[in-house]
Amino acid sequence: MNKNDSAYFIEFAEHGDERGNLVVVEGERDVPFAIQRVFYIYGSDTDMVRGQHANRKSQFVLINVAGQSKVKVMDGLGNEAVFCLNRPRTGVYIPTMAWKEMYDFSPDAVLLCLASEHYDESEYIRDFDAFEAEIAAMHKGGAQ
Ligand code: TYD
């Protein structure tokens, strides 16, 4: 799988049998990066908005392994997409330099996040105006 500049759904193979379901996510096979970090979010109120940041280096895949939530992804150029995550075998890929917001968490939501990088706060952009300015500068400079 290749890195993509846009967010997109990923459907994972299901290896279930009469004993139950099993979903496998392998780095560089089922997601387009080597997985360096795993974290998960649960217990967020329905009216809580999480994320609200972009990452200069990290790519992510988000999977609601339980319950559901929505993920809004914005490219800083005026385009946005909303992904509804409501199945343990469906994820959303989020590229670098994408503004993301997670919200509408169901009470039972467990949002699993796979990341391409170890945690480094300095690669997070947490101000939307600063994010838009960096995107504008990238395009002005001819960066992809
Ligand atoms: P934050 O990035 O605000 O969470 P979210 O994007 O899911 O809303 O992170 C919340 C806190 O957790 C913040 O103090 C940073 C810390 N944190 C880590 O130490 N390591 C991590 O991998 C992540 C994602 C967060």
Side-chain angles (χ1 to χ4, degrees):
M1 301 180 77
N2 295 319
K3 180 184 178 302
N4 197 299
D5 287 337
S6 301
Y8 58 87
F9 277 123
I10 302 176
E11 293 291 320
F12 301 110
E14 231 262 86
H15 302 272
D17 56 27
E18 67 282 356
R19 296 170 297 169
N21 302 313
L22 188 150
V23 176
V24 180
V25 183
E26 290 198 50
E28 298 181 288
R29 292 185 177 176
D30 304 299
V31 300
F33 52 78
I35 299 165
Q36 298 284 4
R37 179 164 52 118
V38 175
F39 56 97
Y40 42 94
I41 293 166
Y42 60 97
S44 286
D45 286 340
T46 307
D47 58 358
M48 193 57 64
V49 180
R50 299 202 58 130
Q52 298 183 297
H53 47 59
N55 292 74
R56 297 186 183 92
K57 291 192 314 197
S58 291
Q59 305 164 64
F60 296 91
V61 168
L62 276 46
I63 307 160
N64 258 106
V65 292
Q68 50 188 290
S69 67
K70 294 193 178 84
V71 184
K72 183 194 283 188
V73 184
M74 304 166 81
D75 69 357
L77 298 169
N79 302 304
E80 64 180 54
V82 174
F83 296 84
C84 298
L85 293 176
N86 55 13
R87 283 186 297 272
R89 58 174 293 185
T90 303
V92 60
Y93 168 80
I94 302 178
T96 58
M97 291 305 283
W99 187 266
K100 54 208 167 295
E101 300 182 353
M102 296 84 88
Y103 59 101
D104 268 4
F105 292 93
S106 61
D108 58 343
V110 181
L111 182 62
L112 179 68
C113 306
L114 312 175
S116 66
E117 310 293 325
H118 291 291
Y119 182 69
D120 172 8
E121 180 59 34
S122 71
E123 63 117 357
Y124 278 70
I125 308 169
R126 293 183 181 272
D127 178 88
F128 190 76
D129 292 340
F131 165 64
E132 281 192 317
E134 273 197 44
I135 290 287
M138 281 168 58
H139 282 259
K140 201 173 169 186
Q144 294 299 307

